[in-house]
Each structure stands twice: as C-alpha cells, then as structure tokens.
Amino acid sequence: MTVADELTPAETFAAAAAGPEESEEPIKQRKNGLYPGVSDELAENMKSGWADTELRDLEPIAQAAETAARRSALSARFPGERLVIPAGNLKTRSNDTEYAFRASVEYAYLTGNQTEDGVLVLEPTADGHQETIYLLPRSDRENGEFWLSGQGELWVGRRHSLTEAQTLYGIPASDVRELPDALREATGPVRVVRGYDAGIEAALTDKVTAERDEELRVFLSEARLVKDEFEIGELQKAVDSTVRGFEDVVRVLDKAEATSERYIEGTFFLRARVEGNDVGYGTIAAAGPHACTLHWVRNDGPVRSGDLLLLDAGVETHTYYTADVTRTLPINGRFTEIQKKIYDAVYDAQEAGIAAVKPGGKYRDFHDAAQRVLTERLVEWGLVEGPVERVLELGLQRRWTLHGTGHMLGMDVHDCAAARVESYVDGTLEPGMVLTVEPGLYFQADDLTVPEEYRGIGVRIEDDILVTADGNRNLSDGLPRRSDEVEIWMASLKS
C-alpha cells in the first residue's frame, strides 16, 4: 500500500481555508517520507493541464422525494429551532489507515448522502426551515491538496462538487469547512445529533442541551418505525441478495469442512460486496457448539459433518438497508433425530410468532407466542418443571431461549433503538413496519441440566417480516424453513 508523503488531510484542509499568507507556509513533511519536499516547479506543474471533469448530466438520487418528505416532517416537529445532523468523520484503524466510512443513519436517512464530514443543517425561517447540506468540495488543485493530502482526489478518489451534490440530493450545498464558525455565531435554540462529529459539537457546546438533543435523536429513531415504499423495496433487495448468499454457502460447505467457519464468512461476504455495500453486521457463522454463542463472530472454528451450522447474516444495500436472516443447517445435508426434534420446535415457535404479526396487534405478541411454544416443548421434554404458565411467569425458559424473539429492521440491523418504549416494545404494529421473528433454543455444551444428547446444539430460525394492511409478508420466504424442505433445498444445491 502506498503512502502520501506530504500533508495530512487536516493540514491540507487548514491550508486551503487559510488566507494567502498562512497558506504559503512550508509544507510539513511526513516523518519518514521518501521525498525531501516539493519543488516550486513541481507544485506549479501540478496546478495545470487537467481536463474539466464537472458532471453536468446528473439526475437526483432515487430516494430524493422520500428524503425531502422526511426533512419536511423533521421541520414540522421542531419549528423555530436550528437542527444539525452530522454524517460523522473517518476513524483511524491503525496509524494512517482508516476504517471504511459509514455515514450516521440519521444523516443518510434525511439526505441520501454517505460522505464523511457532511452535515445537514436546517435553519429556522418564518415558515419552516432553510436546508443546507455542508460537504467538502472537490479537492483543491491550486493549493495541491488533491495530490498532497492522504484524502486528496488522487489518493482516495473524486468527490462530488458542491454543484453536483445540490443536483443529486436536492439540497443547497456549501463548504463544510465554513460551518463551525457559522455555528459558533448562531443564536436561538439549537439541537444536534450527538456522537458523530466532535468538531461540530464543540462549535455548539454552549448552545445545546442534552435533553433537547435526545428529543431530536428519539424523533429520528421513531420516524423510521414505519417504512415508506422506497425503504421496503430496498429491504427486499437486501433480502434477495442474502438468499443468494445463503445458497453460495451451501454450495461450498465441503470447502468449509476442509478449512474453517472463516470460509463460510468469506463466501457470504463476497456476495454482499458484489451485490451490495457490505454486510449489515458481523456475520455469525457458528458450527457445532459455537451455535450456542449468540453473537459468535470469531468464525474460526471447525466445520464438521454431522454438526449443525447456524448462519446469521445479512447483505446491506448501497443505501444502507440491511437484511437479517438466520438458518440452522445440517452440514452434511441431513438432520439427526435429536437435531430435527429441536429444530422443529423452533420452527413451530417461529410459525406462531409470525402468525401474531399483524396491524393493530401489540409488538410483544409475536415474542409471547413464540416463547409459549418453546416453553411447552421444554416442559414436554422434561427439561423444566411445569406448568407452562409458571415457567413463563418466572422466565425459567430463558436458560435455553436467552434472547428476545425479534427487533425492528432497517438502516440499522437493530433499527429504531432510540425510540421510546411506548412507541416500540410497548407499541402497536402498523403497516409498513419491518421486524425480525427469530426464536431459538440453545443447549450449552457444559449444561448438566439437560441430557447429553442435547448439549452443544443451538438452533435459531430468523426471517424478516413486513406488516401489511391485512397481515404480514415474509420478505425472506425465498429460503426454506421447514426441516424437510431445508434438506431438499440443500440437496438440490449440491447436485
């Protein structure tokens, strides 16, 4: 990997924003750079001879109408207040390399833009708000930033010009480097989405309160509870790619047996990167007893014939919407008797949970329905003393079920997490909500309270369910769930 020998991004941007006298300061060298400096002749040479690459035939992004409606709803909720929603900054992974950037969900939801350092500002007006998206403009060729900075155009690729951005996102665009000073001079009530941009927060430090900012965060979380048609389409796209990723995995299980769970993780990741932006969360590729670890993401264990594979994975689209699907598969293609017994119990619980997802129903209904079925089986098998009502009241089934039966899904895999309890967990289902239904049974390898044949078996089945006007639609029904159908499907992929 090559390295930029000269200015850091911060130094270059500071020089670009500085006046003529300040920007003439000598270039600060990288400590171990191979070039001693930049000659005046080279600096002058690099300023000219470049073609005009402004893009003049751009169209607005596909979700421009939806993001405009979302900003309108935000404006109506907080009249007379300045609203500041940052995208966030690059984060260092090690020394001078950064993690792949992912814009804050709040910012991407309202703008459709995904570039680092961006900030959406809604300035109050007499009849609403004036919207501005603050971005880094294209790399400056006059001061050399485009080739001297590690974040310059010749190092990391072209940024959109501010004119291009305005066309794409339907929002007037300005230089983000001017924003901190403007915010420091701002008057009147201000709210900011915290946790993404320390520089923006510092500029507002004497103007915001934790209470006002939390209200903004909660509103933006609850706004995502009901998905619009664009979002539903993106979630279906994510699920469809995820289905193909699961098929990819089944086809290479023999190679995973020869290597490790990492082969499964890598296989699914290839599909996610080819068809989407990334995986929506760390893939859980848990073979054998690792399936009993709910968030097993080390994925470094063996894959053995005769064991089960619990694969919990989701493709994230280029617009940040993620699927979240789990299947528990017999690695050799056939369930053993005890594996099938446990699997079928989880399947029946999921069927009960999915049936409870409908408009007007309580959010908790699908969880309660699934937990009841699992508890009935645990009592029936003699693993816990009944009656069922007593077990549920005391939560004794949780030794083997452990987690809740689902969550909201969207731009975050656990979407809308900042919503009020009364709007989410204690709320009522509405058409357009998308949630997972994912019951599971997990018998730890060292659990002496269950017969030995149960130990080390973990089963979870998870699907992404859209609440419709008359019930629900399983977005992930392209993957079989019933045990006999799973075996037939796996055999067809290996033939």
Side-chain angles (χ1 to χ4, degrees), residues 52-89:
D52 177 9
T53 58
E54 182 75 6
L55 303 176
R56 296 179 173 84
D57 57 352
L58 294 174
E59 297 290 336
I61 59 173
Q63 68 270 42
E66 286 80 6
T67 54
R70 297 166 194 167
R71 294 192 301 274
S72 179
L74 175 62
S75 173
R77 172 61 180 81
F78 298 105
E81 301 186 59
R82 181 175 284 100
L83 309 175
V84 182
I85 300 93
N89 315 124

Side-chain angles (χ1 to χ4, degrees), residues 340-357:
K340 185 177 184 301
K341 173 182 173 180
I342 296 169
Y343 184 96
D344 288 349
V346 175
Y347 171 81
D348 289 344
Q350 194 198 29
E351 282 284 274
I354 292 174
V357 175

Side-chain angles (χ1 to χ4, degrees), residues 346-371 373 405 429 435-439 463-468 470-474 481:
V346 175
Y347 171 81
D348 289 344
Q350 194 198 29
E351 282 284 274
I354 292 174
V357 175
K358 53 190 175 184
K362 294 296 184 183
Y363 176 84
R364 291 180 180 273
D365 288 351
F366 75 94
H367 169 72
D368 292 341
Q371 287 290 298
V373 172
T405 309
L429 295 178
L435 53 94
T436 68
V437 178
E438 50 175 311
D463 285 271
D464 301 341
I465 309 298
L466 167 68
V467 183
T468 62
D470 57 357
N472 69 66
R473 174 158 59 93
N474 186 346
R481 293 184 296 125

Side-chain angles (χ1 to χ4, degrees), residues 145-212:
E145 180 258 331
F146 82 108
W147 70 286
L148 292 174
S149 166
Q151 295 299 319
E153 187 170 297
L154 295 193
W155 288 94
V156 298
R158 184 187 188 278
R159 292 192 290 268
H160 283 297
S161 71
L162 298 181
T163 301
E164 292 168 355
Q166 181 165 331
T167 299
L168 287 168
Y169 307 111
I171 314 171
S174 293
D175 190 334
V176 72
R177 293 170 297 189
E178 301 168 359
L179 181 59
D181 285 344
L183 292 178
R184 276 188 279 270
E185 297 171 3
T187 59
V190 183
R191 297 178 191 260
V192 63
V193 178
R194 300 190 185 203
Y196 297 115
D197 192 318
I200 293 299
E201 289 181 37
L204 293 169
T205 186
D206 60 342
K207 307 178 193 304
V208 295
T209 67
E211 292 77 16
R212 285 205 304 265

Side-chain angles (χ1 to χ4, degrees), residues 440-452:
L441 282 173
Y442 312 91
F443 299 103
Q444 305 298 325
D446 60 350
D447 188 349
L448 302 182
T449 70
V450 300
E452 187 174 357

Side-chain angles (χ1 to χ4, degrees), residues 237-253 263-275 279 283 309 311-315 323 325 327 329 478-479 489 493:
K237 188 186 302 181
V239 168
D240 292 344
S241 289
T242 298
V243 168
R244 290 187 284 272
F246 274 70
E247 292 171 347
D248 296 340
V249 167
V250 172
R251 291 189 180 101
V252 300
L253 282 176
Y263 203 97
I264 294 165
E265 177 186 354
T267 298
F268 187 85
F269 181 69
L270 177 61
R271 178 67 65 174
R273 286 294 281 167
V274 167
E275 295 192 359
V279 289
T283 296
L309 166 68
L311 178 59
D312 185 336
V315 172
V325 177
R327 289 295 183 268
L329 310 171
L479 282 176
W489 170 70
L493 292 172

